[in-house]
Amino acid sequence: MLTRRGMLKTFGGLFAAGFASSTYAVGIEPLLRLRTTTYQISPPGWPEGQKLRIVALADIHACEPWMNARRIGDICRYANDLGGDIVVLLGDYVSSMRAVWSQVPPDIWAAELSALRAPLGVHAVLGNHDWWDDLDAQAADGGDTLSHRVLQAAGIAVYSNRAARIQTATGAFWLAGLEDQIALRPGRSWNRFAYVGLDDLPGTLAQVTDDAPILLLAHEPDIFPQVPARVSLTLSGHTHGGQVRLFGYSPMVPSAYGNRFAYGHVIEDGRHLCVSGGLGCSIAPVRFGSPPEIMVVELG
């Protein structure tokens, strides 16, 4: 028989567990944890013996206190120690969260990112929040955002529907980067209800002029069903792994495909996608079962 004392103990235990989980999800996992997740992949179209180690950072969402300048700098120094041949940044450098003390100015977070180093350079695409928070870029329906400008000023190559051929000691590859797929908010006289993407996958891939393999950077993974087999690997962020992830499932994922592209290494029809869990938080400063991570991909 369940007594009154037993009921109180049960409810007390549930309350304590809920409080502990909430404390961990808000105060520990997003602020204090950082993991490195490594994938070793030999995708179709990638030449045998052509080695490439990619270090990928996504979804920084710079803000106080969750992702302040000091923490960004610490993450960059740690990323440099991972020995990547190339560093790629997968978008969303600014934060739109309301639950913050203050925003980190773009020139400050860009200065911290300028410390990143790799033999083949540091290369970036933008994310939706970099567009959504730039009112001038929204009003202009495109062009360069403030994030474009501060990254370039920091010496980081920014890809906006652009492909570049990169030569390495073991072979060449093409690095292609898409502009954001939901860059422009709805509300205009000509577009009241839908987000508008500025990405151009066919135009970007048309810049490839030889048979060297292609790596594609795309902030949102939702482009993946349209990516042709000619692309050896697509790298994305945006989803944060759902920020709350239990037993490989996230109840809320900012993707039209739900958990299909929420996180990790995805293979469909022989095509490969790697989705980073990202570093910062969006909407709410909560992470549970999806700690901030740096993604490392070893090809060849």
Side-chain angles (χ1 to χ4, degrees):
M1 175 183 292
L2 185 60
T3 65
R4 181 173 180 273
R5 176 177 293 183
M7 290 179 62
L8 290 173
K9 289 177 65 176
T10 298
F11 283 121
L14 291 173
F15 176 81
F19 179 79
S21 297
S22 299
T23 300
Y24 173 82
V26 174
I28 296 178
E29 187 161 303
L31 278 170
L32 301 178
R33 289 198 61 191
L34 178 64
R35 72 180 177 189
T36 303
T37 303
T38 302
Y39 303 101
Q40 296 177 324
I41 305 173
S42 295
W46 190 265
E48 185 177 355
Q50 184 169 330
K51 305 292 186 182
L52 186 69
R53 182 175 172 88
I54 306 165
V55 174
L57 282 66
D59 302 289
I60 290 169
H61 292 293
C63 64
E64 295 276 1
W66 314 108
M67 187 61 69
N68 59 30
R70 179 177 178 179
R71 188 167 190 225
I72 295 170
D74 288 344
I75 288 171
C76 290
R77 286 184 283 275
Y78 176 75
N80 287 341
D81 291 340
L82 294 175
D85 299 308
I86 189 170
V87 173
V88 297
L89 304 175
L90 299 174
D92 272 2
Y93 311 96
V94 303
S95 173
S96 299
M97 279 197 307
R98 295 186 178 182
V100 302
W101 293 352
S102 63
Q103 301 294 335
V104 177
D107 59 328
I108 300 299
W109 57 252
E112 297 296 340
L113 292 177
S114 71
L116 289 166
R117 296 286 185 271
L120 300 179
V122 183
H123 309 259
V125 293
L126 263 61
N128 55 302
H129 287 280
D130 304 309
W131 280 97
W132 291 359
D133 279 26
D134 192 319
L135 299 183
D136 291 337
Q138 291 290 311
D141 293 338
D144 280 350
T145 67
L146 182 56
S147 293
H148 282 99
R149 295 192 292 273
V150 297
L151 286 167
Q152 290 166 344
I156 296 172
V158 182
Y159 290 66
S160 179
N161 298 322
R162 180 168 73 90
R165 191 176 189 273
I166 298 177
Q167 183 68 47
T168 77
T170 57
F173 68 93
W174 288 86
L175 186 66
L178 294 185
E179 196 47 85
D180 193 69
Q181 299 157 52
I182 48 174
L184 302 180
R185 289 179 177 271
R188 294 161 177 75
S189 59
W190 55 271
N191 175 45
R192 292 193 177 277
F193 305 108
Y195 289 93
V196 174
L198 297 176
D199 56 303
D200 181 4
L201 180 61
T204 302
L205 297 183
Q207 299 169 40
V208 174
T209 58
D210 61 25
D211 60 357
I214 303 171
L215 300 181
L216 178 66
L217 310 182
H219 177 66
E220 293 92 357
D222 285 23
I223 194 71
F224 186 59
Q226 304 171 41
V227 175
R230 174 71 177 86
V231 174
S232 295
L233 175 65
T234 301
L235 300 174
S236 295
H238 182 64
T239 62
H240 301 208
Q243 282 188 200
V244 175
R245 190 166 183 84
L246 298 172
F247 308 109
Y249 175 82
S250 298
M252 295 183 63
V253 180
S255 166
Y257 297 95
N259 275 265
R260 180 176 168 186
F261 304 139
Y263 176 73
H265 182 202
V266 178
I267 305 174
E268 290 189 355
D269 302 322
R271 299 169 304 119
H272 289 250
L273 165 71
C274 286
V275 182
S276 170
L279 292 160
C281 296
S282 181
I283 309 299
V286 172
R287 277 184 176 265
F288 191 87
S290 181
E293 75 167 18
I294 295 176
M295 180 171 70
V296 176
V297 181
E298 297 179 346
L299 293 174

